[in-house]
Amino acid sequence: QKEVEQNSGPLSVPEGAIASLNCTYSDRGSQSFFWYRQYSGKSPELIMSIYSNGDKEDGRFTAQLNKASQYVSLLIRDSQPSDSATYLCAVNIANAGGTSYGKLTFGQGTILTVHP
Amino acid sequence: DGGITQSPKYLFRKEGQNVTLSCEQNLNHDAMYWYRQDPGQGLRLIYYSQIVNDFQKGDIAEGYSVSREKKESFPLTVTSAQKNPTAFYLCASSIDWKPNYGYTFGSGTRLTVV
C-alpha cells in the first residue's frame, strides 16, 4: 500500500466550478498535511497546510482533514484557467506515537484542467 | 530575499560521467532534501540532511552521493552508477527536521543524458 495516494486524474472542470482533489494516507500518527501546486516545468509551491480535523479556508482554497478516515482534501472554488496545474498532497508521516520520520511523503499528484 | 538557489537550471551528462548539482539556501533552515521527479510521477526522496555533517539515504539513493559541510549548502552528485539519471531534480529545505511547516523548494535542475 502506498503511503500517500491521490487520484492522478486528469480532473477537468469548467471555469467557475468547484474542483475537489482528494488524498488518503496510511499512517494514523501523521499530524501535518500540505497541498502543493506545480505548474508544468516548474517547482512545487506550497498553497495550504492543515494540522487539525476540520476545514481551513484561505481565499478560494479550502483544505479539509479527517484523521479518523485518514483523508485530506482540497477544494478550489470559482476555478480559473490559471488554476490548471498538478496538485501534490504531502504528508509528514509519523509513527503511532506522533513522532515524525523527518521527511514529507508526496502523492503522485492530480492533474487539474480548468476549461473556459 | 531568502530562498533556495539551484544551479544549473539545465545540465547535460555524457554516459559514464559524474555531475554535481548545486543547492544553496539563505533561509537559515536546518534540514535539506533532494527529490527526483520523472514525467507524470510524484517526488521520490534521494537523500536528506537534518543537520550539518549528517545525512540519510532516502528511497532511491543508489547512484547518488551528497555532502553537508555547511548549513546553507547541500550538493548532489549523480554518479555513473546511476543508470537512468534523466529527470527533474528538486532541492528543498525546512526550518527543522520535523518538518511541521512544510518545505521550500528551489527552482529545480533538469538533467539529461546525451
Side-chain angles (χ1 to χ4, degrees):
Chain A
Q1 180 189 1
K2 290 183 181 178
E3 291 182 297
V4 179
E5 292 202 54
Q6 295 180 252
N7 186 330
S8 61
L11 174 65
S12 182
V13 301
E15 186 174 356
I18 296 174
S20 177
L21 305 162
N22 305 314
C23 175
T24 58
Y25 60 94
S26 60
D27 286 24
R28 284 193 173 274
S30 302
Q31 297 191 9
S32 45
F33 308 86
F34 308 90
W35 284 99
Y36 285 84
R37 177 176 62 199
Q38 186 177 25
Y39 292 114
S40 181
K42 303 295 184 183
S43 62
E45 56 178 321
L46 180 65
I47 54 172
M48 289 289 284
S49 58
I50 187 166
Y51 305 95
S52 305
N53 279 329
D55 295 359
K56 178 182 178 182
E57 189 174 315
D58 184 0
R60 295 187 295 112
F61 298 101
T62 299
Q64 299 174 317
L65 176 61
N66 184 326
K67 290 185 179 180
S69 300
Q70 295 174 236
Y71 177 95
V72 58
S73 65
L74 179 71
L75 301 178
I76 306 175
R77 291 183 300 282
D78 187 25
S79 295
Q80 301 297 310
S82 59
D83 294 324
S84 298
T86 298
Y87 289 81
L88 298 167
C89 172
V91 178
N92 188 357
I93 299 288
N95 62 23
T99 300
S100 169
Y101 290 116
K103 52 188 175 176
L104 299 188
T105 299
F106 289 81
Q108 296 281 80
T110 298
I111 299 170
L112 172 66
T113 301
V114 180
H115 53 87
Chain B
D1 284 338
I4 299 180
T5 301
Q6 287 188 246
S7 62
K9 189 170 183 177
Y10 299 96
L11 186 58
F12 299 91
R13 191 194 95 166
K14 294 181 180 179
E15 295 281 353
Q17 200 176 43
N18 292 357
V19 292
T20 297
L21 283 59
S22 172
C23 179
E24 303 276 334
Q25 55 101 356
N26 60 3
L27 299 165
N28 199 32
H29 284 179
D30 284 337
M32 298 185 74
Y33 310 81
W34 275 105
Y35 284 85
R36 167 180 172 146
Q37 187 175 37
D38 293 280
Q41 297 194 30
L43 277 63
R44 293 186 290 167
L45 182 63
I46 305 172
Y47 269 98
Y48 62 111
S49 169
Q50 296 175 336
I51 198 167
V52 177
N53 292 321
D54 187 43
F55 50 83
Q56 291 80 38
K57 292 182 179 180
D59 302 317
I60 56 164
E62 186 175 351
Y64 300 98
S65 66
V66 293
S67 63
R68 186 87 188 276
E69 298 175 359
K70 298 186 297 181
K71 185 175 184 177
E72 56 270 23
S73 178
F74 192 41
L76 173 74
T77 297
V78 184
T79 75
S80 57
Q82 172 49 241
K83 297 307 178 189
N84 185 22
T86 294
F88 188 41
Y89 289 85
L90 288 160
C91 180
S93 69
S94 63
I95 291 173
D96 58 28
W97 69 272
K98 292 178 184 175
N100 288 331
Y101 301 104
Y103 293 163
T104 300
F105 281 94
S107 57
T109 292
R110 197 166 296 279
L111 174 63
T112 304
V113 174
V114 296

